[in-house]
Amino acid sequence: MTTTIDIDALLDDPESRVIVCCGSGGVGKTTTAAALALRAAERGRQTVVLTIDPARRLAQALGLRELGNHPKQVRVEGFEPKGELWAMMLDMRRTFDDMVRVHAGPERAEQLLQNPFYQTISTSFSGTQEYMAMEKLGQLAASGDWDLIIVDTPPSRSALDFLDAPTRLSSALDGRMIRLLTGPAKAGGWGLRKVVNAGFSMFAKAVSTIIGGQLLTDASAFMQAFDSMFGGFRERARKTAELLRSSGTSFLVVAAPEPDALREASYFVERLSSESMPLAGLIANRTHPVLASLSGSEARTAADSLQSAPLAEAVLRLHADRVDLAAREERLLARFTRAHPEVALARVPALAGDVHDLEGLRDIGVKLAG
């Protein structure tokens, strides 16, 4: 039998330090993360919620004009939690810049920050967003300012890529292709000419034509400056990866009761298991429970006999459709739980409208807690 997630026990546990909400796009991770953070703060935790979703919904729901790359305390009239609630939205470029300043020292940091190659990769290199999410999580945890950090992950199937991001990004920056292009300049100042002389003339000419000789020069200068901070870069990533695997971290997989979303949820559950990540359970979001005991067939039979009362007939048919939808969702969730009987489950009924304020987030928190 599937167990129910005890959300309040998870939030109240002083050993619980990090909660990561993951899942595919459009299933309500951002709202779930904010609702959990609000409930934790009201129950006495010093809580910060980190969103990676570029949407502004979280700031609006928390009564803030906007969120920045550093936590901002939520202070709204009438909101007096036992603990504190802080919120921030990841700014990938600023996080990368801050990391460079920490690791490289003032003079070398300025060289890196002004380098055109760095300015390109800091916003568009594969894995940069996921790595910077890891970096920011590590910063928040190391500060000791909060006893609970709630993370809203990127809105895609690649949401767990932040587990691989440090390895992928450091491998890319330390990769053979970049070393081939930048190594000659470091070795003796010959630049691209030495690569050509080494027998790579056609390859080098093609690369130079595609990305430009100046970019190769910028890349070479970047790698020379970056080499000195590479150890710190990897060490920080290793510590954050350890944090994610620690007993103080819990992962919540968020999914809608729909075939594609639950298929993605299965992927997340299996990936978390293979990575030895601590899974707290699945949140089935926006479910449609039946609110009356009348069956669908009974409602349709009654509707057929009430054609002279159009309003009552419409209500009965709506109820019948709701019964069918609830039954379909239950079949899908039952299929998931048969495949993953060890995964605890929490259901959150769909709301009539969008969540746009603290009261709406509080309502979601109550439903999460059952």
Side-chain angles (χ1 to χ4, degrees):
M1 181 178 175
T2 301
T3 57
T4 300
I5 306 172
D6 190 338
I7 292 293
D8 283 345
L10 178 64
L11 297 178
D12 294 346
D13 184 356
E15 299 299 314
S16 182
R17 299 294 312 282
V18 178
I19 297 174
V20 181
C21 297
C22 56
S24 57
V27 295
K29 291 192 306 298
T30 301
T31 303
T32 299
L36 288 168
L38 176 68
R39 190 168 181 85
E42 291 191 321
R43 296 175 70 85
R45 302 295 300 271
Q46 302 291 110
T47 310
V48 60
V49 56
L50 162 63
T51 182
I52 302 164
D53 188 340
R56 295 291 187 269
R57 293 180 312 236
L58 179 58
Q60 294 165 355
L62 294 172
L64 301 172
R65 184 176 301 171
E66 61 182 15
L67 294 177
N69 198 47
H70 297 285
K72 181 183 295 186
Q73 188 171 5
V74 176
R75 298 180 186 273
V76 180
E77 188 176 346
F79 177 56
E80 298 177 357
K82 294 178 183 176
E84 291 181 358
L85 177 59
W86 296 68
M88 63 161 293
M89 185 174 72
L90 180 73
D91 183 322
M92 182 171 64
R93 172 63 186 276
R94 287 185 60 186
T95 301
F96 208 153
D97 289 353
D98 290 345
M99 187 188 71
V100 167
R101 290 188 179 98
V102 167
H103 288 303
E107 185 176 340
R108 197 173 288 270
E110 280 311 305
Q111 291 177 356
L112 278 167
L113 296 177
Q114 298 304 318
N115 186 290
F117 184 75
Y118 167 77
Q119 292 172 3
T120 298
I121 71 160
S122 62
T123 54
S124 59
F125 216 68
S126 174
T128 305
Q129 183 187 46
E130 290 84 359
Y131 177 79
M132 291 309 140
M134 290 270 286
E135 174 71 15
K136 183 56 72 172
L137 171 58
Q139 290 175 14
L140 293 174
S143 74
D145 292 336
W146 299 277
D147 56 31
L148 181 60
I149 303 166
I150 298 181
V151 183
D152 162 39
T153 54
S156 67
R157 177 165 181 163
S158 65
L160 288 186
D161 280 355
F162 65 84
L163 303 179
D164 300 326
T167 302
R168 287 191 296 117
L169 190 58
S170 61
S171 295
L173 292 175
D174 198 29
R176 292 176 62 190
M177 179 69 77
I178 286 182
R179 291 294 174 187
L180 179 65
L181 296 178
T182 62
K186 291 162 58 179
W190 288 79
L192 192 58
R193 188 153 47 100
K194 192 168 182 179
V195 180
V196 173
N197 292 340
F200 293 97
S201 57
M202 290 184 65
F203 166 76
K205 184 178 180 182
V207 170
S208 184
T209 300
I210 294 168
I211 68 174
Q214 183 58 47
L215 185 56
L216 292 182
T217 303
D218 294 337
S220 177
F222 168 79
M223 289 307 301
Q224 289 180 67
F226 194 79
D227 267 350
S228 64
M229 59 177 276
F230 216 70
F233 181 87
R234 284 176 166 156
E235 178 62 16
R236 288 271 282 263
R238 184 189 64 77
K239 286 184 177 178
T240 306
E242 287 179 1
L243 172 67
L244 289 171
R245 288 180 170 85
S246 72
S247 59
T249 296
S250 299
F251 284 80
L252 288 169
V253 178
V254 184
E258 299 166 358
D260 288 348
L262 286 172
R263 208 162 19 244
E264 296 297 290
S266 289
Y267 161 78
F268 285 119
V269 166
E270 289 159 10
R271 175 76 194 279
L272 287 167
S273 175
S274 69
E275 295 279 351
S276 301
M277 297 289 177
L279 173 65
L282 174 81
I283 294 176
N285 202 19
R286 301 172 188 155
T287 61
H288 297 83
V290 176
L291 305 177
S293 59
L294 190 67
S295 72
S297 59
E298 289 171 333
R300 287 192 175 90
T301 299
D304 290 340
S305 67
L306 285 176
Q307 293 182 358
S308 58
L311 182 58
E313 179 191 357
V315 169
L316 286 165
R317 295 197 188 282
L318 280 173
H319 173 75
D321 291 343
R322 174 88 174 216
V323 170
D324 291 346
L325 177 59
R328 175 176 174 272
E329 291 176 353
E330 282 302 315
R331 285 194 299 272
L332 290 169
L333 288 171
R335 185 185 306 164
F336 177 89
T337 54
R338 280 196 301 272
H340 306 284
E342 76 288 357
V343 178
L345 183 66
R347 289 175 169 83
V348 179
L351 300 182
D354 291 336
V355 175
H356 54 79
D357 56 17
L358 288 180
E359 196 55 47
L361 289 175
R362 188 175 290 116
D363 189 23
I364 292 286
V366 170
K367 289 175 168 57
L368 278 165

